[in-house]
């Protein structure tokens, strides 16, 4: 068996200029978590649910439903059967919204932040393609309105807005949890972001729970031990925005709008 790489080793390897295949990493614990936030997500076509898990030096953000589906498919035959049955139920024409598959523009992506190195690593598995890239943890320049207030999960929140990579984000953050993080790549405010909306409802995130006890550790997930193709962020954006050819159907579909435009 190939030697298991830690997440920090992967962050170093990802800095190489030429895209290559990284060694498959097994699912493994990075460090204990001290905070976990659950966000419900909404888009025009799909809804989803995300988890932000925070440790002392590492954070992660991922789709709860993708996590559940992948773990079921790769645990044993019994759990795989559950995942298969749920999939077929979700694609039935008479399935209601609660039964339909959960997804969003970033539903198949796993984000990891290493605060000691200042690096963010993204792992994407879309249409059987496994890609990864590394970048500096991005920052946003926020305009804060402390005169505005909203209560979310019993906590007072203030309004802030920013333009980030082609989209305008309006968020509500609380200083009652002095963690400068939020959903996806958003952060840098003097408190936790509990609500975020991009470009007049392109995508919405709303916190539905915050926990500090009884939570799972920050964990690198790769149940199938897949190998990821390393590229830079710009190449990844070109990949996401290219038209898709439907095999054996002589059909080309335009790319779905992505969360980052530049």
């Amino acid at each position: 068996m190939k030697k298991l790489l830690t997440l920090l080793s992967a962050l170093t390897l990802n800095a190489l200029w030429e895209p290559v295949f990284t060694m498959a990493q097994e699912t493994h614990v990075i460090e204990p978590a001290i905070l976990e936030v659950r966000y419900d997500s909404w888009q025009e076509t799909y809804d989803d649910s995300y988890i932000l898990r925070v440790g002392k030096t590492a954070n992660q953000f991922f789709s709860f439903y993708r996590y559940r589906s992948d773990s079921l498919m790769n645990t044993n035959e019994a759990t795989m059967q559950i995942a298969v049955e749920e999939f077929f139920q979700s694609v039935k024409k008479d399935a209601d919204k609660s039964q339909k598959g959960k997804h969003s523009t970033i539903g198949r992506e796993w984000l990891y932040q290493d605060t000691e190195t200042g690096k963010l690593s993204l792992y994407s598995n879309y249409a059987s393609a496994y890609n990864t890239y590394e970048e500096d943890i991005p920052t946003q320049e926020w305009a804060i309105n402390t005169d505005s207030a909203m209560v979310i999960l019993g906590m007072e929140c203030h309004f802030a807005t920013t333009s980030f990579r082609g989209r305008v984000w309006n968020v509500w953050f609380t200083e009652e949890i002095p963690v400068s993080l939020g959903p996806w790549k958003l952060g840098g405010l003097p408190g936790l972001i509990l609500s975020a909306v991009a470009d007049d409802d392109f995508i919405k995130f709303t916190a539905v729970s915050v926990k500090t006890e009884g939570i799972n550790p920050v964990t690198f997930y790769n149940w199938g031990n897949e190998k990821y193709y390393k590229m830079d962020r710009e190449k990844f954006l070109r990949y996401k925005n290219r038209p898709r050819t439907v095999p054996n159907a002589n059909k080309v579909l335009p790319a779905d709008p992505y969360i980052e435009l530049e």
Side-chain angles (χ1 to χ4, degrees), residues 29-186:
V29 171
I30 299 172
E31 66 178 19
I34 58 178
L35 175 71
E36 182 177 285
V37 188
R38 179 80 171 264
Y39 295 92
D40 279 351
S41 170
W42 177 92
Q43 282 188 273
E44 183 178 2
T45 306
Y46 300 101
D47 56 12
D48 208 333
S49 185
Y50 286 86
I51 290 176
L52 170 65
R53 199 173 287 160
V54 182
K56 290 185 177 180
T57 65
N59 312 309
Q60 64 180 143
F61 184 76
F62 58 93
S63 164
F64 167 78
Y65 291 108
R66 176 54 45 186
Y67 156 83
R68 184 177 185 277
S69 175
D70 285 356
S71 60
L72 288 175
M73 288 294 293
N74 291 280
T75 300
N76 54 48
E77 291 187 6
T79 59
M80 180 185 295
Q81 185 61 35
I82 293 173
V84 171
E85 290 175 357
E86 289 181 352
F87 169 77
F88 282 114
Q89 181 64 39
S90 71
V91 297
K92 287 183 178 179
K93 291 184 178 180
D94 59 349
D96 60 37
K97 188 174 182 179
S98 65
Q99 295 173 315
K100 289 186 178 297
K102 307 296 183 180
H103 186 54
S104 78
T105 181
I106 53 172
R108 295 177 179 269
E109 297 176 6
W110 307 77
L111 274 66
Y112 299 89
Q113 291 185 1
D114 182 335
T115 58
E116 290 189 324
T117 63
K119 297 296 183 180
L120 178 149
S121 292
L122 180 146
Y123 291 80
S124 170
N125 58 319
Y126 179 74
S128 299
Y130 292 82
N131 299 306
T132 182
Y133 70 78
E134 179 192 273
E135 63 173 325
D136 291 339
I137 295 176
T139 58
Q140 298 89 38
E141 295 184 3
W142 295 95
I144 300 174
N145 184 351
T146 56
D147 293 332
S148 60
M150 175 186 289
V151 175
I152 301 176
L153 297 178
M155 291 174 279
E156 182 179 71
C157 299
H158 296 293
F159 181 78
T161 185
T162 190
S163 179
F164 180 61
R165 293 182 178 170
R167 295 195 184 278
V168 174
W169 286 88
N170 295 322
V171 310
W172 292 89
F173 69 96
T174 179
E175 296 183 70
E176 295 183 35
I177 303 179
V179 173
S180 299
L181 295 170
W184 185 53
K185 297 180 181 181
L186 302 178

Side-chain angles (χ1 to χ4, degrees), residues 207-242:
V208 294
S209 68
V210 176
K211 298 194 300 183
T212 57
E213 296 180 352
I215 54 181
N216 291 327
V218 178
T219 304
F220 181 84
Y221 292 113
N222 184 11
W223 288 277
N225 296 329
E226 305 292 348
K227 293 182 179 180
Y228 285 84
Y229 182 78
K230 288 188 274 186
M231 57 178 64
D232 58 31
R233 190 180 69 87
E234 290 73 18
K235 183 174 182 178
F236 180 78
L237 287 182
R238 292 195 296 271
Y239 164 77
K240 292 291 291 186
N241 291 319
R242 71 182 183 183

